[in-house]
Amino acid sequence: MSYSCRPLVSRLISVPLVAAASAAVAQAADLNLSGVNAYASQEQVTSISQFSDVKPTDWAYQALSNLVDRYGCVAGYPNGTFKGGQAMTRFEAAALLNACLDRVTETTDELKRLMKEFQKELAVLRGRVDGLEARVGELEANQFSTTTKLKGYAAFVLGANTFSGNLRTTDNVAAYSGAPVGGNYAKFAKETAGALSFPYDLRLDLDTSFTGKDLLRTRLRSGNFNGSAWFGNAPVGLLGMETAFESGAGNNVVEINRLFYQFPIGNGFTATFGPRVRQDDMLAMWPSAYPADTVLDIFTYAGAPGTYSLNLGAGGGLWWKAGGFSLSANYVSGNGENSNPSLGGIGTSGAAETGTVQLAYGGANYGLAAAYTYSSGYGLYGGNGTPLAVAGFGATSTNSVGLSAYFSPLSASWFPSISAGWGINTYVGGAGANTPYFTASSGYADTINLSGDASQSWYLGFQWGDFLLKGNTFGFAFGQPTFVTSSGFNDGNYAWEWWYKMQVTDNISVTPAIYYLSAPLGALQKDSGQSFNSFGGLIKTTFKF
């Protein structure tokens, strides 16, 4: 049995051996060894464009391009071709792979040398990255919201005021200030508002976005300015500062100062509404570049405080923007939370309401606007006008128009940023148009009906960026706070301010300022031919975080 199988086994073994030998002979016959050597020794190309037969439409064009550009390990044939459509022998594959491996080895050796040379620096960077990762992890674990950002503002004001003039307190002045009749008013002002004082203003904004395009703003605010000379009260209301704040509940009490939601609608429209929203929160453009840092409040209303009254309460508005043009319309009820129609509500006699429409046009460094505001039960406070002009807003309603514009250089230069504004207000009649003051000419108690009368205001503001030092700003402004221009009253007065904002860090600035009021009581002092003025100075330190 075993003997008979041996011829069969021999035949089975001999068949593959013969076939293998035949194949080896055939491959040796077909192989062009000189061609392989020529391919391997060919100088490596540096650009795929050196191959005359390779086109961007070839399916492997990008892969071949990467090998050429990144590793420089692809060679062609002596005639400048790659012959991408030709079958590759194992020898040709070995030559190509060897060339690429050589380049990779060179790169690896260079990386090892660089890593050894910069070992210390890499260790420091590795430590910093590890520290950053730990801090990011801690922040993510302790953040109170993924949709809300906190922004803070704190202002410290240290300053004092001085008063001078020969004004003797008349019945008019006494009705305004509570000063004793017949006494020297400058002396009274010094005794009640002449001390060095140091109040503060603090604001915390919680800005929330749910879509990336909307805004829910919640502002917490506190301050203690009410007892200071800068709160807009007698003896000189026009000393009021923009940053002078105190809650109606008392000093150092935190209140919700803003609460509104803003979101886009369609193409170019933005809607805003909320129970605590201010008039300017609903304007597509603010028509003034002045000031870079606020001092007297009268210079922060674009020249028209009757129009831009900044009424705060329940309200809503809509603006549209296209190109440089914008149109804004809004309504605010200062007493919108009250359900008693005689004391509050929306659209009622007790609403303390304003309705505003503004048409504006602006570019990268300029803007101008015309605005109209209807006011009923709401108007100026003592920091925006003379006592008589402020009293005129007690009329049944007031129609106010403002024109404002500004221009700012695109980069800091000798030419300043210029802002200008003018406003006019017309008092509409009613019993509320009777002021609580006395006529200076009559010498006895009387009421003044300002129905149909008008008041005006204007200002010019200038500021220079990078003044003396990069980041610092110098500015000054002058103008006339709101004053009655009819009924024969001599109510005009002038105001000036000068300041220099020093940017200590990105988040801290220090601003020394001085200011002067020529006749802050207007007709209450000028109708009797007497003088009274105020001069003051302060240092305002601002923190933003």
Side-chain angles (χ1 to χ4, degrees):
M1 183 72 177
S2 60
Y3 178 80
S4 63
C5 290
R6 292 176 64 183
L8 176 61
V9 171
S10 299
R11 285 194 297 269
L12 290 175
I13 293 175
S14 63
V15 171
L17 288 177
V18 172
S22 301
V25 171
Q27 286 184 354
D30 294 340
L31 179 63
N32 182 0
L33 291 177
S34 60
V36 172
N37 291 333
Y39 177 85
S41 61
Q42 178 73 13
E43 183 178 355
Q44 307 298 322
V45 298
T46 57
S47 173
I48 195 172
S49 62
Q50 293 177 242
F51 294 129
S52 60
D53 60 339
V54 176
K55 301 177 182 179
T57 54
D58 293 333
W59 67 270
Y61 179 85
Q62 190 60 50
L64 183 61
S65 177
N66 289 341
L67 286 174
V68 172
D69 295 339
R70 292 184 182 181
Y71 300 104
C73 60
V74 176
Y77 288 92
N79 61 358
T81 62
F82 180 70
K83 298 183 179 179
Q86 177 176 298
M88 175 182 282
T89 68
R90 293 172 61 86
F91 284 102
E92 289 173 320
L96 175 61
L97 180 60
N98 182 67
C100 289
L101 287 176
D102 286 343
R103 293 302 176 93
V104 171
T105 301
E106 292 173 7
T107 303
T108 303
D109 291 341
E110 180 67 14
L111 284 174
K112 289 179 179 179
R113 184 189 68 77
L114 291 173
M115 290 174 66
K116 184 177 181 180
E117 180 178 348
F118 295 100
Q119 184 176 1
K120 293 181 179 180
E121 290 79 2
L122 290 172
V124 172
L125 289 174
R126 189 178 299 110
R128 291 180 178 178
V129 170
D130 292 341
L132 288 173
E133 288 180 346
R135 291 177 63 184
V136 169
E138 182 179 357
L139 289 172
E140 289 178 345
N142 293 285
Q143 65 180 348
F144 73 94
S145 174
T146 58
T147 58
T148 302
K149 295 181 180 180
L150 171 66
K151 295 191 298 182
Y153 168 96
F156 302 164
V157 177
L158 175 66
N161 300 278
T162 184
F163 310 92
S164 60
N166 62 4
L167 175 63
R168 292 289 172 178
T169 303
T170 63
D171 290 335
N172 295 345
V173 176
Y176 162 70
S177 65
V181 176
N184 183 278
Y185 193 70
K187 182 175 182 293
F188 170 79
K190 291 176 184 177
E191 292 173 348
T192 57
L196 179 70
S197 55
F198 191 14
Y200 77 92
D201 176 28
L202 174 65
R203 312 171 197 175
L204 297 176
D205 284 347
L206 300 171
D207 288 345
T208 302
S209 180
F210 304 103
T211 67
K213 297 180 180 180
D214 60 340
L215 171 67
L216 173 64
R217 171 161 293 175
T218 305
R219 173 174 293 176
L220 308 178
R221 194 171 183 184
S222 180
N224 61 349
F225 271 88
N226 193 10
S228 75
W230 300 299
F231 199 62
N233 294 332
V236 180
L238 286 174
L239 288 175
M241 292 184 65
E242 184 275 336
T243 197
F245 175 81
E246 182 171 318
S247 169
N251 62 357
N252 305 316
V253 175
V254 179
E255 74 166 35
I256 302 296
N257 186 251
R258 293 285 203 288
L259 184 59
F260 65 84
Y261 183 58
Q262 194 169 81
F263 57 97
I265 299 177
N267 185 21
F269 289 90
T270 299
T272 307
F273 73 98
R276 294 286 287 174
V277 62
R278 204 168 75 171
Q279 177 204 45
D280 58 321
D281 294 325
M282 299 179 284
L283 296 177
M285 187 190 83
W286 182 251
S288 176
Y290 185 92
D293 200 2
T294 62
V295 185
L296 293 181
D297 199 23
I298 54 179
F299 294 119
T300 66
Y301 290 78
T307 305
Y308 298 109
S309 59
L310 307 189
N311 191 12
L312 173 64
L318 183 70
W319 78 57
W320 166 81
K321 297 177 71 173
F325 287 97
S326 66
L327 180 63
S328 308
N330 62 69
Y331 170 88
V332 178
S333 169
N335 300 324
E337 77 286 354
N338 198 316
S339 297
N340 187 329
S342 62
L343 300 176
I346 296 176
T348 64
S349 60
E353 60 190 357
T354 57
T356 302
V357 177
Q358 175 186 271
L359 176 63
Y361 182 81
N365 63 327
Y366 66 91
L368 63 158
Y372 165 78
T373 294
Y374 169 83
S375 306
S376 178
Y378 182 84
L380 305 184
Y381 84 110
N384 282 333
T386 66
L388 191 61
V390 172
F393 276 83
T396 302
S397 62
T398 306
N399 296 303
S400 302
V401 174
L403 299 175
S404 307
Y406 72 91
F407 170 81
S408 296
L410 292 174
S411 59
S413 68
W414 62 269
F415 195 83
S417 163
I418 302 175
S419 299
W422 169 80
I424 185 170
N425 317 289
T426 302
Y427 308 127
V428 180
N434 294 325
T435 76
Y437 302 112
F438 305 102
T439 58
S441 58
S442 65
Y444 60 89
D446 194 5
T447 58
I448 306 170
N449 191 306
L450 294 177
S451 175
D453 291 338
S455 60
Q456 296 187 39
S457 61
W458 64 270
Y459 94 114
L460 284 171
F462 304 85
Q463 55 190 22
W464 288 261
D466 292 342
F467 190 83
L468 298 182
L469 292 174
K470 185 175 179 59
N472 293 358
T473 306
F474 168 70
F476 76 90
F478 64 94
Q480 289 187 276
T482 311
F483 62 102
V484 175
T485 55
S486 54
S487 294
F489 291 106
N490 185 13
D491 198 39
N493 63 104
Y494 292 89
W496 291 263
E497 70 175 19
W498 301 262
W499 50 268
Y500 183 60
K501 178 183 178 183
M502 297 176 288
Q503 198 67 47
V504 181
T505 70
D506 290 341
N507 303 96
I508 303 174
S509 64
V510 177
T511 304
I514 57 175
Y515 44 85
Y516 176 75
L517 302 170
S518 67
L521 302 189
L524 298 190
Q525 68 181 77
K526 297 173 74 173
D527 277 358
S528 60
Q530 301 181 74
S531 64
F532 173 71
N533 55 68
S534 174
F535 177 82
L538 57 84
I539 297 176
K540 178 184 177 185
T541 305
T542 304
F543 306 86
K544 295 182 179 181
F545 52 93

